[in-house]
Coordinates of all heavy atoms in Angstrom, one line a residue:
L23 N -7.6 3.0 26.2 CA -8.1 4.2 25.4 C -8.8 5.3 26.2 O -8.6 6.4 25.8 CB -9.0 3.6 24.4 CG -8.4 2.4 23.5 CD1 -9.6 1.7 22.6 CD2 -7.3 2.9 22.7
E24 N -9.4 4.8 27.3 CA -10.0 5.8 28.1 C -10.5 4.9 29.4 O -10.4 3.7 29.4 CB -11.4 6.4 27.5 CG -12.3 5.5 27.2 CD -13.6 6.1 26.4 OE1 -13.3 6.8 25.5 OE2 -14.6 5.9 26.9
Q25 N -11.0 5.6 30.3 CA -11.4 4.9 31.7 C -12.3 3.8 31.3 O -13.4 4.2 30.8 CB -11.8 5.9 32.6 CG -12.2 5.2 34.0 CD -11.0 4.8 34.7 OE1 -9.9 5.4 34.6 NE2 -11.0 3.8 35.6
G26 N -12.0 2.6 31.6 CA -13.0 1.5 31.4 C -13.0 0.8 30.0 O -13.7 0.1 29.7
L27 N -12.0 1.3 29.2 CA -11.9 0.8 27.8 C -10.4 0.6 27.5 O -9.6 1.5 27.5 CB -12.6 1.6 26.8 CG -12.4 1.3 25.2 CD1 -13.2 0.0 25.1 CD2 -13.0 2.4 24.3
L28 N -10.1 -0.8 27.1 CA -8.7 -1.0 26.7 C -8.6 -1.8 25.5 O -9.6 -2.4 25.1 CB -8.0 -1.6 27.9 CG -8.4 -2.7 28.6 CD1 -7.7 -4.0 27.9 CD2 -8.1 -2.8 30.0
E29 N -7.6 -1.9 24.9 CA -7.3 -2.8 23.7 C -6.0 -3.5 23.7 O -5.0 -3.1 24.4 CB -7.4 -1.9 22.3 CG -6.1 -1.0 22.1 CD -6.3 -0.4 20.7 OE1 -7.1 -0.8 19.9 OE2 -5.6 0.6 20.6
L30 N -6.0 -4.8 23.1 CA -4.9 -5.6 23.1 C -4.5 -5.5 21.6 O -5.2 -5.7 20.7 CB -5.2 -7.0 23.4 CG -5.8 -7.3 24.9 CD1 -6.0 -8.8 25.0 CD2 -4.9 -6.8 25.9
I31 N -3.2 -5.3 21.4 CA -2.6 -5.2 20.0 C -1.4 -6.0 20.0 O -0.5 -6.1 20.9 CB -2.2 -3.7 19.8 CG1 -3.3 -2.7 20.0 CG2 -1.6 -3.5 18.3 CD1 -3.0 -1.3 20.0
G32 N -1.4 -6.7 18.8 CA -0.1 -7.6 18.7 C -0.5 -8.9 17.8 O -1.4 -8.8 17.0
R33 N 0.3 -9.9 17.9 CA 0.2 -11.0 17.1 C -0.1 -12.3 18.1 O 0.5 -12.4 19.1 CB 1.5 -11.3 16.3 CG 1.7 -10.1 15.3 CD 3.0 -10.1 14.8 NE 3.1 -11.2 13.8 CZ 4.0 -11.4 12.9 NH1 5.0 -10.6 12.8 NH2 4.1 -12.5 12.1
A34 N -0.8 -13.2 17.5 CA -0.9 -14.5 18.3 C -0.7 -15.6 17.3 O -1.1 -15.5 16.1 CB -2.4 -14.6 18.8
P35 N -0.2 -16.8 17.7 CA 0.1 -17.9 16.7 C -1.2 -18.6 16.3 O -1.4 -19.3 15.4 CB 1.0 -18.8 17.6 CG 0.7 -18.4 19.0 CD 0.5 -17.0 19.0
S36 N -2.3 -18.4 17.2 CA -3.5 -19.2 17.0 C -4.8 -18.4 17.6 O -4.6 -17.5 18.3 CB -3.6 -20.6 17.6 OG -3.6 -20.5 19.1
A37 N -5.9 -18.7 16.9 CA -7.1 -18.1 17.4 C -7.4 -18.4 19.0 O -7.9 -17.6 19.7 CB -8.3 -18.5 16.5
E38 N -6.9 -19.6 19.4 CA -7.0 -20.0 20.7 C -6.2 -19.1 21.8 O -6.7 -18.6 22.7 CB -6.7 -21.5 21.0 CG -7.6 -22.4 20.3 CD -7.4 -22.7 18.9 OE1 -6.2 -22.4 18.4 OE2 -8.3 -23.1 18.2
A39 N -5.0 -18.8 21.2 CA -4.1 -18.0 22.0 C -4.8 -16.5 22.0 O -4.5 -15.8 23.2 CB -2.7 -17.9 21.4
R40 N -5.2 -16.1 21.0 CA -5.9 -14.8 20.9 C -7.1 -14.6 21.9 O -7.1 -13.9 22.7 CB -6.4 -14.4 19.6 CG -7.1 -13.1 19.5 CD -7.6 -12.7 18.1 NE -8.4 -13.7 17.5 CZ -8.7 -13.7 16.2 NH1 -8.1 -12.8 15.3 NH2 -9.4 -14.8 15.6
E41 N -7.9 -15.7 21.9 CA -9.1 -15.7 22.8 C -8.7 -15.9 24.2 O -9.3 -15.3 25.1 CB -10.0 -16.9 22.4 CG -10.7 -16.8 21.0 CD -11.3 -15.5 20.9 OE1 -12.1 -15.0 21.8 OE2 -11.2 -14.8 19.9
R42 N -7.6 -16.6 24.5 CA -7.1 -16.8 25.9 C -6.6 -15.5 26.4 O -6.8 -15.1 27.5 CB -6.1 -17.8 25.9 CG -5.3 -18.0 27.2 CD -6.2 -18.7 28.2 NE -5.4 -19.0 29.4 CZ -5.8 -19.6 30.4 NH1 -6.9 -20.3 30.3 NH2 -5.0 -19.7 31.5
A43 N -5.8 -14.8 25.6 CA -5.3 -13.4 26.0 C -6.5 -12.5 26.3 O -6.5 -11.8 27.3 CB -4.4 -12.8 24.9
G44 N -7.5 -12.3 25.5 CA -8.7 -11.5 25.7 C -9.4 -12.0 26.9 O -9.8 -11.1 27.7
A45 N -9.5 -13.2 27.2 CA -10.2 -13.7 28.4 C -9.4 -13.4 29.7 O -10.0 -13.1 30.6 CB -10.5 -15.2 28.3
R46 N -8.1 -13.5 29.5 CA -7.3 -13.3 30.8 C -7.4 -11.7 31.0 O -7.4 -11.4 32.2 CB -5.9 -13.6 30.3 CG -4.9 -13.7 31.5 CD -5.1 -15.0 32.4 NE -4.2 -14.9 33.4 CZ -4.5 -15.1 34.6 NH1 -5.8 -15.1 35.0 NH2 -3.6 -15.0 35.6
A47 N -7.2 -10.8 30.0 CA -7.4 -9.5 30.2 C -8.8 -9.0 30.9 O -8.8 -8.3 31.9 CB -7.3 -8.7 29.0
Q48 N -9.9 -9.6 30.3 CA -11.1 -9.5 30.9 C -11.2 -10.0 32.4 O -11.9 -9.4 33.2 CB -12.2 -10.2 30.1 CG -13.6 -9.7 30.4 CD -13.8 -8.2 30.1 OE1 -13.8 -7.8 29.1 NE2 -14.0 -7.4 31.1
A49 N -10.5 -11.0 32.7 CA -10.6 -11.5 34.0 C -9.9 -10.7 35.0 O -10.2 -10.5 36.1 CB -10.0 -13.0 34.1
V50 N -8.8 -10.0 34.7 CA -8.0 -9.1 35.4 C -8.8 -7.8 35.7 O -8.7 -7.3 36.7 CB -6.6 -8.8 34.8 CG1 -5.9 -7.7 35.5 CG2 -5.8 -10.0 34.8
A51 N -9.6 -7.3 34.6 CA -10.3 -6.0 34.7 C -11.7 -6.3 34.4 O -12.2 -5.9 33.3 CB -9.6 -5.0 33.9
P52 N -12.5 -7.0 35.2 CA -13.8 -7.3 34.8 C -14.8 -6.2 34.5 O -15.8 -6.2 33.8 CB -14.4 -8.1 36.0 CG -13.5 -7.8 37.1 CD -12.1 -7.4 36.8
G53 N -14.5 -5.1 35.1 CA -15.4 -3.9 34.9 C -15.0 -3.0 33.6 O -15.6 -2.1 33.2
W54 N -14.0 -3.5 33.0 CA -13.5 -2.8 31.7 C -13.9 -3.6 30.5 O -14.1 -4.8 30.6 CB -11.9 -2.9 31.7 CG -11.4 -1.8 32.8 CD1 -11.5 -1.9 34.1 CD2 -10.6 -0.7 32.5 NE1 -10.9 -0.9 34.8 CE2 -10.4 -0.2 33.9 CE3 -10.1 -0.2 31.5 CZ2 -9.6 1.0 34.0 CZ3 -9.4 1.1 31.6 CH2 -9.0 1.6 32.8
S55 N -14.1 -2.8 29.3 CA -14.3 -3.3 28.1 C -13.0 -3.6 27.5 O -12.1 -2.8 27.4 CB -15.2 -2.4 27.3 OG -16.4 -2.4 27.8
V56 N -12.9 -4.8 26.9 CA -11.6 -5.2 26.1 C -11.8 -5.4 24.7 O -12.8 -6.1 24.3 CB -11.0 -6.5 26.8 CG1 -9.8 -6.9 26.0 CG2 -10.8 -6.4 28.3
V57 N -11.0 -4.6 24.0 CA -11.1 -4.7 22.4 C -9.9 -5.5 22.1 O -8.8 -5.1 22.2 CB -11.1 -3.3 21.7 CG1 -11.0 -3.5 20.3 CG2 -12.2 -2.5 22.2
N58 N -10.1 -6.7 21.6 CA -9.0 -7.8 21.3 C -8.7 -7.5 19.9 O -9.5 -8.1 18.9 CB -9.4 -9.1 21.6 CG -8.3 -10.1 21.6 OD1 -7.3 -9.8 21.0 ND2 -8.5 -11.2 22.2
R59 N -7.5 -6.8 19.5 CA -7.1 -6.6 18.3 C -5.8 -7.4 17.9 O -5.1 -7.1 17.0 CB -6.8 -5.1 17.9 CG -8.1 -4.3 18.0 CD -7.8 -2.9 17.6 NE -7.1 -2.8 16.5 CZ -6.4 -1.6 16.2 NH1 -6.3 -0.6 17.1 NH2 -5.6 -1.5 15.1
L60 N -5.7 -8.6 18.6 CA -4.6 -9.5 18.3 C -4.8 -10.2 17.0 O -5.9 -10.5 16.6 CB -4.4 -10.6 19.4 CG -4.1 -10.0 20.8 CD1 -3.9 -11.1 21.8 CD2 -2.7 -9.3 20.7

């Protein structure tokens, strides 16, 4: 969305998968804010 801010968009089969995707994104870019819209 802008420097330091990103979002995940899509579908997940479970809340665990959604949380795992958000955690994985945050681990790759720790200085960024992740908006998880799965």
Side-chain angles (χ1 to χ4, degrees):
L23 301 175
E24 61 184 57
Q25 185 69 31
L27 179 63
L28 59 93
E29 70 178 343
L30 304 179
I31 304 169
R33 299 169 71 167
S36 66
E38 293 80 22
R40 173 178 53 197
E41 295 306 315
R42 175 72 179 191
R46 192 77 176 121
Q48 192 67 65
V50 172
W54 289 62
S55 295
V56 177
V57 178
N58 190 342
R59 291 187 46 208
L60 295 179

